Amino acid sequence: MTPPPIVAIDGPSGAGKSTVAKALAARLHVPYIDTGAMYRAIGLAARERGITLPLAKADADRVAALAESLSLDLDVTGGQTRVRLNGRDITDAIRLPEISLYASAVSAIPAVRRRLVAEQRRLAGRAGGVLEGRDIGTRVFPDTPHKFFLTAPLDVRAERRSRELAARGTPQPEEVVRAEIERRDHDDSTRSDSPLTFDESYTLIDTGRRPVNEIVVELEERIEKMRGQVLT
Ligand code: DC
């Protein structure tokens, strides 16, 4: 039997990664693994300890120690990655807009990345998975043949994120959302450890003007073709 696939879905904020990755995981019958949720968990823990942004050097050391000592449980058996921090379910708390910036800030700390990358490899090592993040195809699973880089124009991404936040009951003015996305785009792609980037081993997908279903079907077809299976 062919082992279950490991699929990398990387790209900037608001590119539609979650929607596509969830649907794809369901079709491939593998877990959907939201790696951003893990960085968000460390970000939340940092904020709850009174650490402020931008991170000072001493704070980065504190966060690194925190990342080593925290107990992080991830349940990827449902359609969503449920996260528990020291036993407390923080799945909803990590979605607050402020935590996006904390997640981005702590994700630049190498010790944080080391711990979480190990966790991601362990999780997908069991039953495969569709992993959504920034460095899945470059760092976490560089050898997988299934790599997709999703992107869309900034306006489209900001509008999507605004709609998402409103639907969650935490609406934000569009210019605030746009500024947050631009800030994260910059920080996530310029950090020195595992920056957001892609190379020719990825298939580039512009999600700006295409329906999600069509994209999911294209990805599934590419994956199945690569695995040498006939679609039923
Ligand atoms: O995908 P997201 O918006 O939930 O991710 C939150 C932050 O976490 C993002 O700004 C950068 C960081 N992140 C990362 O560095 N590497 C990943 N694989 C996933 C997320």
Side-chain angles (χ1 to χ4, degrees):
M1 265 215 9
T2 338
I6 288 180
V7 182
I9 307 276
D10 289 318
S13 315
K17 300 188 299 292
S18 305
T19 315
V20 169
K22 275 180 200 164
L24 187 62
R27 291 178 76 118
L28 296 171
H29 308 290
V30 294
Y32 158 65
I33 303 174
D34 174 6
T35 65
M38 304 181 193
Y39 291 93
R40 285 171 179 271
I42 307 290
L44 177 72
R47 202 198 60 173
E48 287 181 341
R49 276 153 187 81
I51 292 173
T52 52
L53 297 181
L55 288 182
K57 170 80 182 78
D59 286 336
D61 293 342
R62 274 178 74 197
V63 176
L66 196 60
E68 306 282 347
S69 64
L70 288 173
S71 144
L72 204 58
D73 294 315
L74 298 144
D75 178 1
V76 294
T77 54
Q80 192 186 21
T81 301
R82 295 210 74 83
V83 193
R84 285 177 170 275
L85 182 67
N86 293 334
R88 177 170 54 113
D89 191 322
I90 55 159
T91 310
D92 295 327
I94 56 172
R95 293 297 147 196
L96 292 175
E98 197 190 353
I99 302 303
S100 304
L101 291 174
Y102 270 89
S104 181
V106 302
S107 75
I109 303 170
V112 170
R113 303 204 71 82
R114 258 198 315 278
R115 153 128 205 228
L116 298 185
V117 167
E119 194 79 35
Q120 290 153 20
R121 290 186 179 139
R122 190 182 59 78
L123 277 170
R126 289 188 203 145
V130 175
L131 291 92
E132 170 201 338
R134 304 289 189 291
D135 62 338
I136 308 303
T138 54
R139 183 63 180 259
V140 186
F141 287 108
D143 295 335
T144 180
H146 312 300
K147 299 186 193 180
F148 302 96
F149 194 94
L150 270 50
T151 188
L154 178 63
D155 282 349
V156 176
R157 294 190 288 120
E159 201 188 303
R160 261 190 205 138
R161 183 65 89 196
S162 298
R163 263 189 275 125
E164 228 176 82
L165 290 169
R168 283 181 201 280
T170 51
Q172 296 278 312
E174 185 141 345
E175 61 279 10
V176 172
V177 177
R178 194 188 163 98
E180 180 225 292
I181 287 190
E182 278 186 297
R183 165 86 184 276
R184 284 206 288 151
D185 279 359
H186 174 266
D187 292 354
D188 294 345
S189 50
T190 54
R191 67 180 176 225
S192 53
D193 188 347
S194 319
L196 170 68
T197 181
F198 69 98
D199 56 29
E200 65 289 345
S201 64
Y202 280 84
T203 301
L204 188 61
I205 306 275
D206 186 333
T207 64
R209 268 175 286 279
R210 295 174 62 194
V212 171
N213 285 356
E214 190 187 296
I215 296 171
V216 173
V217 169
E218 176 186 335
L219 267 50
E220 187 183 12
E221 282 175 358
R222 285 180 181 273
I223 292 165
E224 295 299 354
K225 192 168 161 203
M226 197 72 98
R227 301 177 83 211
Q229 286 181 0
V230 179
L231 279 176
T232 51

